[in-house]
Amino acid sequence: AKSPKEKETLPDFVMQELSSSLQKRKKQIDAGAGRVYVVRTTRGFLNVHSDPSDPQRLDNVVTQIFEGDVVESVGPDRGDWVQHDLGGWSVRQYGNFTFLQPLDDAVEDSSK
């Protein structure tokens, strides 16, 4: 039996896989994954699309999210589009309106 002070190490192939997985996740985070947004709307809801194309399209709407909902990005942004954890893509900003406000900004605004 090993003494409590002896540490077991993982096999090299496990360490390599873990390292690879962590590097991939770091790239995702650096590219935008993991950002948290508060939903702001002009009509009470924001459409969630199956792909980031035209925010006016309705044929690719998969669901809707609502004022005050919180979403987390799951991958890199595509222009003004954010892929998030509530099932698809939503436009962050369109025209002069910000639909997905970064949570940090929303907290600062509410404290003023």
Side-chain angles (χ1 to χ4, degrees):
K2 293 185 179 190
S3 72
K5 291 184 180 182
E6 288 183 80
K7 294 182 181 178
E8 289 192 37
T9 58
L10 296 172
D12 284 345
F13 76 94
V14 173
M15 292 299 291
Q16 289 170 350
E17 184 65 31
L18 180 59
S19 176
S20 174
S21 178
L22 289 171
Q23 288 172 3
K24 180 180 176 185
R25 181 64 179 148
K26 182 181 181 318
K27 285 180 184 178
Q28 290 173 331
I29 290 169
D30 290 346
R35 292 188 182 141
V36 179
Y37 299 91
V38 176
V39 177
R40 301 294 183 217
T41 69
T42 56
R43 297 184 200 171
F45 67 91
L46 178 63
N47 287 330
V48 179
H49 300 260
S50 60
D51 57 86
S53 55
D54 178 356
Q56 299 293 328
R57 277 183 62 192
L58 298 178
D59 64 320
N60 68 346
V61 172
V62 294
T63 192
Q64 294 176 330
I65 50 181
F66 301 94
E67 179 75 30
D69 283 350
V70 175
V71 298
E72 182 177 342
S73 61
V74 296
D77 296 348
R78 286 200 199 157
D80 282 332
W81 290 86
V82 174
Q83 185 179 22
H84 55 76
D85 60 344
L86 293 183
W89 294 84
S90 294
V91 67
R92 180 180 43 244
Q93 185 166 342
Y94 187 73
N96 293 324
F97 192 83
T98 300
F99 291 94
L100 296 177
Q101 183 179 18
L103 185 60
D104 293 341
D105 293 352
V107 170
E108 287 177 18
D109 287 351
S110 69
S111 66
K112 291 181 182 176

